[in-house]
């Protein structure tokens, strides 16, 4: 088992091939300070090459997923000196850091589940958009609240557009309207809406058992093909996908998967939640 | 307050930062003649650089939003002489004019609301697709009716694809099927479906109050980021967005927004519908 | 009436301008062997240039649409020799063949209807994604089941992403979860969900009558514009679309369509299901 970074703001818990990552700043409703983002980035960088971790589960401590950016911290920006001519504005550089993290998180080969409760505002809503499967409680509150503060959701809205399309993204960002879990399900921001926290945990376990039946290498290859669709032409994506298919088929997973199917037995990679 | 163009086909009404634009040809159910499109284009060009206008509200007079292209006018096309070799067909040039208008309307920095009643056929359905927030009554009728007339929805279907995705766009365009408000909401063509015209107006006011809480400069910056997602790579969008973020944060809106949030008071840009 | 290929795996039935294509291997639940894909490809290539065929209806014999790839056939892959250095892996070449077929099927100028019953797994779900209009029964079972076999849905997932967006595609592919017709309708995979097979046939006839009112040349031009949106910039799509508009308007269909509309009579291309 490879090393995971030591974290002050996050709680990391490993169970078999699953890594549970909990943002643990409940006093500030898990607001995204520079420190939280730095620790999340370090975890993502450590996990990405680690084939023993198949699934990453992201949640927030204290019943709130993430209330967004650190607004008190924003105030410090005003005293930052303006950039020298020809230099990048340090406020822009700092803001861009979050986009870098989002790109890396979105590209993780592991399957990522978001478990959303309480509130997901601003950057918290952005985090939801880079999970593969998102589960929330019906009373979770969501909003793209930035423009009400006089700033654009700069590093967030591109991922919202990818997640739910530009039509709904425009409405949410230009009105800042608040909405709850059921509507989040209707617009495709989340996939499952649970009545309460007991159902939330039960849904998480069901999803984990589904993922546990999928071969980890095949899942990573599939996620890679989906990500490639964003920037490469279709023919080229299909070319690369056919080589990934051949590698999986000739590898241990392909042989085991077909043999298990024909033998009507579980494949050797199946992992159940205990 | 800058000059708005004098219009014959449109009624323009200004209230504080809001511009109400009404297509006013109820006898032809607000069909899109060349004159109507020319006046809409002139309004869009006048409004785009005007920071005192924050919101544009588009509707149709006489209980109908817009019944589409001017079919009687189409007949005149048949008598137009065919193009000289090497020349563009004047029918194509005239058709393309509508696409130019759609691009400009879609790119307005202002937040655009469509208030849809009665019917939105063909080009009228196209107009719905370039609003930021669309509200309709449940009994509004919609259709992409062009192919039933023997012509493609040439300057319209690309904006329909952007709005609701190619899957539903294919079905609507290749069947010409009629549908009503509830279905328009389900497929994401509109965002709010009102039971009747009283609820339509109440929903409009609620949306206007939401927009009134959002900083106008931040909204314009946000819309610009969303539009950039269509043609620029993600990294480049995030770079530009981080600079827009820094400008807003250092500007009057960022300072006022954060101060108002921490002071638990409304920001100075908040505008309520009276 | 041009020649259609002789098929062993497919049943072809022509009625007026409609071609009914039925995969006819009910013993294997219409699994996609290399032979089935080769015959489907031959049909698509024969139909594409044939303007007398307006609509293609795809279904499966024996109450099942298509249970996916031929898993027993996959086993033969393991004995295929690995590629020589610098050569393509024959498994990759074989896999890529399905993507070529999907591209051609997706680009058919004819309007394509999928009639889905029983099951649509893996490649069968992929076929659904390249229909223009998909109709299923409520009890149809769907799944992207590949990763459970240790392989990625390599030539399928790009078309799933196009059909239903990356958000839902990620969830379906990375969990392999099974779902039924109602959910297929909610996520936009299919357009109509019928209670039973009688309603399935009635819905098909309704859709055929809708298509029968649309001019075939205008429909082909429209489908071409929608497809162009995937790879060309908007301005260029609008330019080409304006020329397609002029050609239709000056052609027989445009004259007939406008005359029929103004004369309040059906156009001469209208075809009703008997």
């Amino acid at each position: 088992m490879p090393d995971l970074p030591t974290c002050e703001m996050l709680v990391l818990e490993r169970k078999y091939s699953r890594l549970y990552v909990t943002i643990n700043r409940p006093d500030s409703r898990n607001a995204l300070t520079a420190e939280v983002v730095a620790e999340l980035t370090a975890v993502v960088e450590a996990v990405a090459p680690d084939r023993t971790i198949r699934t990453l589960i992201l949640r927030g401590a204290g019943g709130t997923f993430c209330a967004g950016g650190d607004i008190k911290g924003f105030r410090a920006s005003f005293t930052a000196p303006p950039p020298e001519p020809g230099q990048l504005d340090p406020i822009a550089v700092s803001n861009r850091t979050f986009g870098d993290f989002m790109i890396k998180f979105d590209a993780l080969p592991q399957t990522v589940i978001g478990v959303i409760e309480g509130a997901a505002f601003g950057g918290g809503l952005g985090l939801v958009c880079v999970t593969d499967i998102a589960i929330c409680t019906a009373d979770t509150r969501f909003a793209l609240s930035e423009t009400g503060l006089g700033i654009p959701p700069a590093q967030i809205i591109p991922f919202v557009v990818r997640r739910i399309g530009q039509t709904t993204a425009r409405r949410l960002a230009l009105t800042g309207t608040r909405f709850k879990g059921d509507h989040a399900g209707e617009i495709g921001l989340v996939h499952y809406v649970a009545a309460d926290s007991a159902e939330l945990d039960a849904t998480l376990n069901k999803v984990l058992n589904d993922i546990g039946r999928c071969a980890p290498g095949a899942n990573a290859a599939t996620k890679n093909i989906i990500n490639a669709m964003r920037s490469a032409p279709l023919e080229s994506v299909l070319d690369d996908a056919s080589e990934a298919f051949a590698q999986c088929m000739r590898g241990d997973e392909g042989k085991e998967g077909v043999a298990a199917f024909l033998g009507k037995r579980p494949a050797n990679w199946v992992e159940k939640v205990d």
Side-chain angles (χ1 to χ4, degrees), chain A:
Chain A
M1 192 162 88
D3 287 341
L4 290 169
T6 304
C7 292
E8 304 279 323
M9 308 285 170
L10 309 178
V11 174
L12 307 182
E13 191 183 3
R14 177 88 189 242
K15 287 186 188 167
Y16 303 96
S17 76
R18 311 189 297 277
L19 180 67
Y20 293 79
V21 178
T22 303
I23 309 176
N24 189 32
R25 294 186 68 239
D27 289 351
S28 69
R29 298 197 301 159
N30 304 316
L32 294 167
T33 60
E35 290 76 19
V36 170
V37 174
E39 291 194 358
L40 284 170
T41 305
V43 168
V44 163
E45 290 173 346
V47 165
D50 180 353
R51 291 283 73 77
T52 71
I53 298 178
R54 292 164 60 176
T55 313
L56 187 154
I57 299 99
L58 181 68
R59 27 197 335 169
T64 294
F65 182 65
C66 172
D70 172 40
I71 294 167
K72 288 183 186 167
F74 285 172
R75 205 180 221 170
S77 293
F78 303 144
T79 60
E84 301 291 320
Q87 300 290 307
L88 288 172
D89 190 324
I91 297 181
V93 172
S94 161
N95 179 254
R96 186 65 176 75
T97 305
F98 189 67
D100 266 338
F101 160 69
M102 293 284 277
I103 289 174
K104 287 179 185 169
F105 194 29
D106 196 35
L108 265 186
Q110 283 82 5
T111 301
V112 175
I113 306 175
V115 182
I116 324 293
E117 315 162 81
F121 297 146
L125 193 152
L127 288 177
V128 177
C129 293
V130 287
T131 61
D132 293 305
I133 298 110
I135 312 166
C136 77
T137 51
D139 63 356
T140 304
R141 292 168 302 146
F142 296 87
L144 273 174
S145 38
E146 281 84 350
T147 58
L149 294 167
I151 48 176
Q155 305 297 303
I156 300 159
I157 192 72
F159 298 91
V160 179
V161 169
R162 283 185 168 183
R163 180 77 162 197
I164 59 172
Q166 54 119 337
T167 303
T168 305
R170 279 159 85 154
R171 175 174 65 89
L172 297 184
L174 302 176
T175 65
T177 192
R178 289 204 175 196
F179 57 98
K180 292 206 167 178
D182 283 335
H183 189 63
E186 286 165 14
I187 62 178
L189 180 61
V190 305
H191 301 98
Y192 298 100
V193 183
D196 51 32
S197 61
E199 193 178 312
L200 187 73
D201 288 332
T203 305
L204 171 60
N205 285 352
K206 187 197 167 303
V207 170
L208 286 171
N209 282 327
D210 279 347
I211 297 169
R213 277 188 292 272
C214 300
N219 259 22
T222 301
K223 201 166 162 179
N224 195 41
I225 298 168
I226 295 173
N227 284 342
M229 284 289 290
R230 294 170 177 160
S231 53
L234 177 64
E235 285 75 7
S236 150
V237 172
L238 293 172
D239 287 346
D240 293 347
S242 72
E243 298 204 29
F245 179 87
Q247 281 172 21
C248 286
M249 187 63 100
R250 286 192 189 279
D252 292 341
E253 287 187 0
K255 284 175 193 156
E256 166 66 10
V258 173
F261 178 83
L262 296 176
K264 298 184 179 179
R265 61 166 177 82
N268 63 11
W269 61 70
V270 172
E271 178 173 317
K272 288 191 183 173
V273 176
D274 36 68

